[in-house]
């Protein structure tokens, strides 16, 4: 058996097997996810993989992707057994994978997401951003997405992010393309465009596997169909020889009743009525009426305003004009709780991001919508929750082992059943369902449809938002079609057809004949939107750092009237040198924070390194100041590596590790000093001159700090490794899926942070001369605050070097100003904290407005 490492192989003939599974079995503990499965993917062909949720489809995908290795049997590559030891191995071999839950990085740009893991390089080793942007624009155009490649991915809608995932797979120019639920969040037109891309890849001889639940798509795009049930391969047949009914029967082991049950309920009184409802930049002039027992469908392309309307109806967002009436009473929802009190429930399209807490068990997720009514004296009653939610879970036939089972261990279909049940338990009058069957299997879909029809029969008013045309036509009594935020048509069940809905959703003139959407339409994409010229003052004011500048001015200006010494050369020099030390330490903290970790031991490392450096210079005055600096750096590096090793290889949370080592390192320092103190007269003068020296009138320490920050900024911004640090923090699981060496990079981040803390300790020993066991005591909070105030996200994935520099300056300017106006020391920390909170609040407000403005421009 060989380990595959390179995609450099001989050309293959159309129809030849490229990759496959040979008698593959995969066990997780005592559970068999796959049993003795064999099939292959052939060049120039699409194999569709069918099966219910939990049938083993994703396990097959992950074995091809190098995430899993078979317990028994093997993966076959070019007729030879092969081992893909990691996702990176699979990628290097020429396998591209579009995972069911896209492993994208919301804090990075679209272009960085497309090429993460294989960024084009300049001869110098840096990222070729021009080439990356141009190629990204071309790939986005091929999948029909008009967005600036430099846009932050986090501002894109779910469907747009899915198209970015497709573009990323195409960027690898792979021999094998695995597509796991690629159309779940796509509109009809986007699906057609994707299928044209697939047909083009077939012509180039790419072997493909398509995993999906929509039968129309399966029988449109596939050449052969493989069916799994309970981890066993039921069969592989050609598309032409397999009927849809037979495929469903193979999947579920029995015949399936009608997928779209007819709503027999007679519409009753009006439950919801909107008049000229609008929200600037999202939708306008929307008039909706929904009656008891009626299912109203909202159709249109993804991004037409359907979800935005739902969010306004549920109080998540506020309308800018128009009215909402519930049971004839005009309502103004200040938030989701007010909408819930009025009898409105909303099932979001993003069940993982907005509807579930994936680490919580089923019962705790179910309780989230009923906390007020199931809580007594501040304690939630488990029995009350189960009494209300269990009947709905039983009706939906939830497959689970116990109510304490973590929600992330359920299949996608069963997760969606929990979401539906928890909202039904609130007893709503109006139920808004946004893509309720997205990413779930045929059996679960039938159960959800039966429940929707039953709820309507019982008199509930329902709004159904779906991008799946058969579902829209099969489930809805009336269909309202939207285009670019405007209501363009309304059809009854008897009037609605696919052609009419597509015309209303896409045509600029409704009176024109209805076009039929063909594969050729997909290639006629509009040109990629060019990046608008960067605004002048408005762009500057949108910078996060401007909030920090405002905070500094808010301190400096009034202090200057009270004590003009704030502008004295001595004060400014001292402030700049203190800021230099803080910037160096905060830079290391930033590296750790962007990987979604934290280092609470930084001050202890600074103190330990400061004493070690001073001790080296005291005992060996003739060896030169470089030895003292190296001693401090070595101590810091050792501490950082120790922290990183426990976090990465011991898999212990960083906050726990560094909380412990904070005391351990400080204890070592105390034992080492033994109560002794090193003073200025015990070290050579050259050591003291290190930080007091000037170059062209500028203190050397400031020059050193600025140089370090500039080098760090270049490396983090311009190199692939630098961007991978941010990717790890933005989406740790996504980084693993595409083969980023997360553990190695997190260890590197802690090591560099330790090295920088050690260097800061050596400079501290030179600047302050008098060194004992209490050096930098309590300084860790200042270091962490400098990074966080500067815009480094505690959740990881975001931050800038410039922000860290401004954060350090802001904290020290505030402290300096308070000291100069002689604030009582008892008040100093309180005022200091309040001003920090004000700076963060102002910074967050500026950032929020900039993001909202970008989102509005994108919608328009």
């Amino acid at each position: 058996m060989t380990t595959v490492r390179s995609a450099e192989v001989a050309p293959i003939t159309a129809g030849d097997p490229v990759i496959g599974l040979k008698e593959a079995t995969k066990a997780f503990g005592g559970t068999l996810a796959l049993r003795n499965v064999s099939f292959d993917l052939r060049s120039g062909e699409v194999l569709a993989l069918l099966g219910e949720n939990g049938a083993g489809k994703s396990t097959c995908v992950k074995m091809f992707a190098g995430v899993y290795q078979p317990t028994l049997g093997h993966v076959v590559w070019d007729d030879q057994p092969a081992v893909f030891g990691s996702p990176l191995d699979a990628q290097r071999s020429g396998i591209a994978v579009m995972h069911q839950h896209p492993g994208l990085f919301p804090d990075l740009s679209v272009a960085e997401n497309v090429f993460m893991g294989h960024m084009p390089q300049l001869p110098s080793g840096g990222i070729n951003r021009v080439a990356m942007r141009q190629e990204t624009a071309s790939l986005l155009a091929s999948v029909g997405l008009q967005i600036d490649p430099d846009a932050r991915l986090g501002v894109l809608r779910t469907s747009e992010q899915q198209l970015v995932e497709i573009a990323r797979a195409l960027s690898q120019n792979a021999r094998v393309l695995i597509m796991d639920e690629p159309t779940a969040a796509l509109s009809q037109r986007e699906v057609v465009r994707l299928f044209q891309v697939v047909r083009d890849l077939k012509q180039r001889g790419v072997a493909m596997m398509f995993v999906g639940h929509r039968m129309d798509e399966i029988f449109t795009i596939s050449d052969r169909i493989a069916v799994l049930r309970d981890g066993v391969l039921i069969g592989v047949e050609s598309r032409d020889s397999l009927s849809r009914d037979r495929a469903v029967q193979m999947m579920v082991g029995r015949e399936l009743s009608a997928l779209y049950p007819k709503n027999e309920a007679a519409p009753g009184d009006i439950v919801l009525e909107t008049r000229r409802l609008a929200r600037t930049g999202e939708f306008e002039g929307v008039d909706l009426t929904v009656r008891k027992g009626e299912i109203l469908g909202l159709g249109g392309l993804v991004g037409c305003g359907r979800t935005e309307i739902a969010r306004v109806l549920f109080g998540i967002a506020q309308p800018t004009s128009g009215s909402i009436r519930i049971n004839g009473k005009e309502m103004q929802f200040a938030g989701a709780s007010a909408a819930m009190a009025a009898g409105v429930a909303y099932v979001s399209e993003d069940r993982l991001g907005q509807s579930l807490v994936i680490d919580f068990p089923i019962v705790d997720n179910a309780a989230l919508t009923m906390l007020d009514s199931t809580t007594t004296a501040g304690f939630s009653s488990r029995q009350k929750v189960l009494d209300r939610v269990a009947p709905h879970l039983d009706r939906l036939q939830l497959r689970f082992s116990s109510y304490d089972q973590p929600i992330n261990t359920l299949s996608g279909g069963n997760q969606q059943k929990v979401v539906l049940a928890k909202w039904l338990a609130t007893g709503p009058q109006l139920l808004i369902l946004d893509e309720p069957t997205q990413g779930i299997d045929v059996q679960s879909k039938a159960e959800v449809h039966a429940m929707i029809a039953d709820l309507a029969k019982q008199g509930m008013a329902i709004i159904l938002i779906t991008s799946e045309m058969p579902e829209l036509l099969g489930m809805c009594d009336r269909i309202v079609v939207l285009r670019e935020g405007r209501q363009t048509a309304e059809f009854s069940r008897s009037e609605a057809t696919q052609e009419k809905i597509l015309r209303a959703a896409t045509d600029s003139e409704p009176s024109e004949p209805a076009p039929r959407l063909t594969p050729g339409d997909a290639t006629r994409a509009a040109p990629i939107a060019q990046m608008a010229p960067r605004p002048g003052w408005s762009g500057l004011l949108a910078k996060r750092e401007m909030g920090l500048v405002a905070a500094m001015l808010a301190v400096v200006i009034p202090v200057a009237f009270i004590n003009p010494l704030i502008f004295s050369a001595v004060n400014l020099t001292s402030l700049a040198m203190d800021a230099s030390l803080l910037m160096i330490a905060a830079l290391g903290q930033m590296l750790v924070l962007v990987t979604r970790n934290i280092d609470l031991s930084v001050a202890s490392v600074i103190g330990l390194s400061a004493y070690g450096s001073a001790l080296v210079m005291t005992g060996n005055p003739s060896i030169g100041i470089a030895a003292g600096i190296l001693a401090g750096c070595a101590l810091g590096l050792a501490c950082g590596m120790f922290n990183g090793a426990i976090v990465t290889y011991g898999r212990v949370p960083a906050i726990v590790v560094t909380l412990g080592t904070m005391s351990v390192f400080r204890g070592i320092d105390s034992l080492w000093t033994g109560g002794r103190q090193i003073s200025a007269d015990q070290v050579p003068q050259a050591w003291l001159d290190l930080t007091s020296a000037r170059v062209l009138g500028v203190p050397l320490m400031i020059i050193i700090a600025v140089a370090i920050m500039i080098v760090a900024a270049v490396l983090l911004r311009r190199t692939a490794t630098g961007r991978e640090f941010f990717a790890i923090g933005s989406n740790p699981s996504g980084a693993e899926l595409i083969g980023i060496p997360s553990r190695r990079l997190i260890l590197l981040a802690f090591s560099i942070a330790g090295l920088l803390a050690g260097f800061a300790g050596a400079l501290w020993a030179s600047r302050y001369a008098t060194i004992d066991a209490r050096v930098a005591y309590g300084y860790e909070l200042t270091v962490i605050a400098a990074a966080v105030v500067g815009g480094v996200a505690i959740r990881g994935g975001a931050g800038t070097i410039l922000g860290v520099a401004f954060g350090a300056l802001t904290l020290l300017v505030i402290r300096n100003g308070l000291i100069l106006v002689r604030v009582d020391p008892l008040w100093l920390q309180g005022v200091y904290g309040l001003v920090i909170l004000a700076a963060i609040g102002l910074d967050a407000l500026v950032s929020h407005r900039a993001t909202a403005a970008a989102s509005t421009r994108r919608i328009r």
Side-chain angles (χ1 to χ4, degrees):
M1 186 175 293
T2 59
T3 299
V4 179
R5 292 287 181 182
S6 173
E8 297 296 328
V9 294
I12 54 180
T13 305
D16 288 345
V18 180
I19 193 172
L21 297 177
K22 181 68 172 177
E23 299 176 353
T25 295
K26 182 61 181 178
F28 297 95
T31 303
L32 286 178
L34 282 181
R35 287 178 287 175
N36 200 34
V37 170
S38 299
F39 63 84
D40 56 43
L41 310 184
R42 302 169 183 171
S43 63
E45 182 188 76
V46 177
L47 173 79
L49 187 61
L50 286 179
E52 295 186 86
N53 288 115
K57 304 185 303 298
S58 291
T59 303
C60 292
V61 170
K62 290 181 178 179
M63 283 199 287
F64 287 138
V67 178
Y68 298 154
Q69 288 75 44
T71 305
L72 296 172
H74 45 260
V75 176
V76 177
W77 179 261
D78 285 337
D79 292 327
Q80 296 294 322
V83 175
F84 299 122
S86 69
L88 193 58
D89 277 354
Q91 290 175 40
R92 288 172 176 170
S93 302
I95 301 171
V97 182
M98 295 156 50
H99 291 279
Q100 182 176 1
H101 303 298
L104 299 173
F105 310 103
D107 299 292
L108 304 186
S109 72
V110 171
E112 288 172 333
N113 271 274
V114 169
F115 283 96
M116 182 58 65
H118 58 285
M119 291 183 172
Q121 303 286 309
L122 293 167
S124 62
I127 301 169
N128 188 338
R129 288 192 168 271
V130 173
M132 185 170 71
R133 190 182 189 283
Q134 291 174 346
E135 184 62 22
T136 299
S138 176
L139 290 167
L140 294 176
S142 72
V143 299
L145 181 58
Q146 300 180 52
I147 200 74
D148 185 351
D150 292 329
R152 186 172 66 87
L153 184 101
V155 304
L156 272 61
R157 292 185 176 86
T158 302
S159 63
E160 293 171 328
Q161 292 187 19
Q162 185 68 63
L163 292 172
V164 173
E165 175 85 349
I166 295 168
R168 182 168 75 181
L170 297 178
S171 72
Q172 298 176 48
N173 195 27
R175 289 181 62 195
V176 175
L177 175 61
I178 311 293
M179 297 170 281
D180 192 0
E181 297 282 1
T183 64
L186 303 185
S187 69
Q188 185 79 8
R189 183 175 290 274
E190 290 164 337
V191 169
V192 171
R193 197 181 305 275
L194 169 62
F195 283 2
Q196 182 58 48
V197 172
V198 170
R199 291 185 181 96
D200 292 342
L201 293 175
K202 285 175 64 174
Q203 294 298 317
R204 289 161 45 186
V206 176
M208 287 171 279
M209 185 171 81
F210 183 94
V211 181
H213 293 302
R214 298 175 179 175
M215 287 297 177
D216 285 346
E217 296 173 358
I218 293 294
F219 280 85
T220 296
I221 200 61
S222 65
D223 298 292
R224 290 183 300 138
I225 299 174
V227 181
L228 291 172
R229 185 170 75 237
D230 297 329
V232 176
L233 182 67
I234 303 303
V236 181
E237 298 186 23
S238 69
R239 177 192 62 187
D240 297 335
S241 66
L242 185 65
S243 69
R244 301 189 187 198
D245 290 343
R246 171 64 180 155
V248 171
Q249 189 175 0
M250 292 170 68
M251 288 169 57
V252 301
R254 62 191 183 280
E255 292 187 2
L256 197 63
S257 57
L259 188 58
Y260 304 111
K262 187 177 180 180
N263 179 19
E264 303 290 350
D269 297 336
I270 295 175
V271 175
L272 170 72
E273 186 177 19
T274 70
R275 287 291 175 263
R276 309 305 298 168
L277 192 65
R279 179 172 168 82
T280 302
E282 295 183 355
F283 61 88
E284 60 182 45
V286 173
D287 297 328
L288 300 178
T289 301
V290 191
R291 298 176 178 273
K292 289 183 179 180
E294 184 179 40
I295 303 173
L296 174 70
L298 293 187
L301 304 182
V302 173
C304 66
R306 300 173 306 172
T307 295
E308 288 73 17
I309 292 171
R311 289 170 62 84
V312 167
L313 294 177
F314 192 58
I316 298 172
Q318 306 305 312
T320 50
S321 63
S323 64
I324 300 173
R325 290 180 177 272
I326 303 291
N327 294 322
K329 182 180 179 181
E330 187 162 338
M331 310 294 289
Q332 291 183 340
F333 299 137
S337 58
M340 291 172 64
V344 182
Y346 171 50
V347 177
S348 166
E349 64 176 336
D350 183 7
R351 65 171 173 263
L352 294 181
Q354 299 178 12
S355 297
L356 296 171
V357 182
I358 60 173
D359 295 323
F360 279 18
I362 294 170
V363 65
D364 289 349
N365 272 279
L368 293 176
T369 58
M370 301 176 282
L371 291 177
D372 291 340
S373 57
T374 60
T375 301
T376 303
F379 294 93
S380 176
S381 169
R382 175 188 176 92
Q383 192 57 50
K384 287 182 179 179
V385 172
L386 293 179
D387 287 345
R388 293 177 60 176
V389 78
H392 301 291
L393 292 175
D394 291 341
R395 184 199 305 180
L396 286 166
Q397 300 181 39
L398 180 72
R399 298 174 181 86
F400 67 113
S401 58
S402 78
Y403 289 112
D404 294 313
Q405 183 177 350
I407 205 79
N408 59 6
T409 64
L410 298 178
S411 66
N414 285 307
Q415 288 176 351
Q416 187 71 335
K417 291 175 184 179
V418 175
V419 174
L420 290 166
K422 77 173 185 179
W423 282 111
L424 293 176
T426 66
Q429 300 180 67
L430 173 66
L431 177 62
I432 305 171
L433 300 170
D434 195 350
E435 305 286 3
T437 61
Q438 177 176 291
I440 66 176
D441 59 60
V442 174
Q443 178 65 37
S444 298
K445 190 175 295 187
E447 292 163 357
V448 170
H449 289 161
M451 181 212 68
I452 293 172
D454 187 47
L455 292 172
K457 186 177 180 180
Q458 295 175 29
M460 188 179 293
I462 298 171
I463 295 177
L464 176 61
I465 301 171
T466 176
S467 299
E468 192 170 343
M469 187 68 71
E471 185 172 66
L472 192 68
L473 293 169
M475 290 299 301
C476 301
D477 301 306
R478 287 186 297 118
I479 298 171
V480 170
V481 185
L482 297 157
R483 181 176 68 245
E484 297 178 359
R486 297 173 184 268
Q487 192 171 333
T488 57
E490 181 174 327
F491 305 105
S492 66
R493 179 193 288 267
S494 59
E495 295 172 330
T497 65
Q498 179 169 322
E499 288 77 10
K500 288 180 179 179
I501 292 173
L502 287 175
R503 181 179 67 182
T506 59
D507 284 358
S508 58
E509 294 294 337
S511 60
E512 294 177 1
R516 290 197 61 86
L517 197 59
T518 64
D521 295 333
T523 60
R524 295 191 287 273
I528 192 75
Q530 296 300 313
M531 183 173 64
R534 300 195 182 276
W537 286 107
S538 60
L540 180 62
L541 293 175
K543 295 288 187 182
R544 297 177 62 92
E545 291 78 16
M546 290 308 298
L548 303 179
V549 172
M552 285 188 278
L553 291 175
V555 172
V556 169
I557 292 173
V559 168
F561 285 105
I562 300 172
N563 191 341
L565 288 177
I566 193 170
F567 292 124
S568 68
V570 172
N571 185 63
L572 291 177
T573 299
S574 177
L575 180 65
M577 294 180 73
D578 288 344
S580 298
L581 278 176
L582 181 54
M583 286 178 193
I584 293 170
L587 170 59
Q589 191 69 222
M590 173 189 169
L591 286 176
V592 173
L593 286 172
V594 296
T595 64
R596 203 174 284 196
N597 289 282
I598 194 168
D599 184 3
L600 299 176
S601 69
V602 57
S604 300
V605 175
I606 290 173
L608 185 63
S609 300
Y611 186 78
S613 298
L615 189 63
V616 166
M617 297 311 300
T618 301
N620 306 276
S622 62
I623 64 174
I625 59 176
I629 294 175
L630 288 175
C633 289
L635 281 170
L637 178 61
C639 293
M641 292 180 68
F642 182 74
N643 283 336
I646 299 177
V647 170
T648 55
Y649 294 98
R651 298 187 182 277
V652 182
I655 193 169
V656 175
V657 172
T658 58
L659 185 62
T661 57
M662 175 177 69
S663 298
V664 169
F665 297 154
R666 185 66 70 179
I668 293 173
D669 193 17
S670 297
L671 291 172
W672 196 5
T673 59
R676 296 186 299 274
Q677 185 181 76
I678 298 176
S679 58
D681 58 359
Q682 294 177 273
V683 295
Q685 185 61 39
W687 178 248
L688 301 178
D689 292 340
L690 170 63
T691 50
S692 61
R694 292 175 177 265
V695 177
L696 299 177
V698 180
L700 178 61
M701 194 159 74
I702 297 175
I703 295 174
I704 292 172
V706 170
I708 290 174
M709 301 295 274
I710 291 173
V711 170
V714 171
L715 293 177
L716 288 176
R717 177 66 180 165
R718 301 294 179 183
T719 67
T721 299
R723 303 317 294 162
E724 287 173 353
F725 279 117
F726 289 88
I728 291 169
S730 187
N731 184 353
S733 59
E736 293 285 351
L737 281 177
I738 67 171
I740 293 176
S742 299
R743 287 200 295 180
R744 191 172 69 205
L745 289 179
I746 292 172
L747 176 60
L748 179 61
F750 273 100
S751 300
I752 295 174
L755 178 66
L756 290 173
F759 183 60
L763 295 180
W764 191 300
S766 171
R767 171 161 166 70
Y768 297 110
T770 300
I771 304 298
D772 57 26
R774 294 184 58 83
V775 165
Y777 192 81
Y779 195 59
E780 59 275 338
L781 296 181
T782 304
V783 174
I784 294 170
V788 174
V789 170
V792 181
I794 287 287
R795 60 172 173 76
T800 65
I801 299 296
L802 184 61
V804 169
F806 272 80
L809 279 172
T810 300
L811 295 187
L812 294 181
V813 164
I814 292 170
R815 186 186 69 178
N816 183 250
L818 295 177
I819 292 172
L820 288 175
V821 297
R822 298 182 180 180
V823 171
D824 190 316
L826 295 176
W827 290 94
L828 185 60
Q829 290 299 317
V831 175
Y832 186 40
L834 287 174
V835 178
I836 290 173
L837 289 176
I840 293 174
L842 181 60
D843 180 43
L845 178 63
V846 171
S847 178
H848 173 74
R849 288 183 174 178
T851 301
S855 180
T856 299
R857 288 194 298 272
R858 175 175 53 81
I859 291 169
R860 288 177 176 173

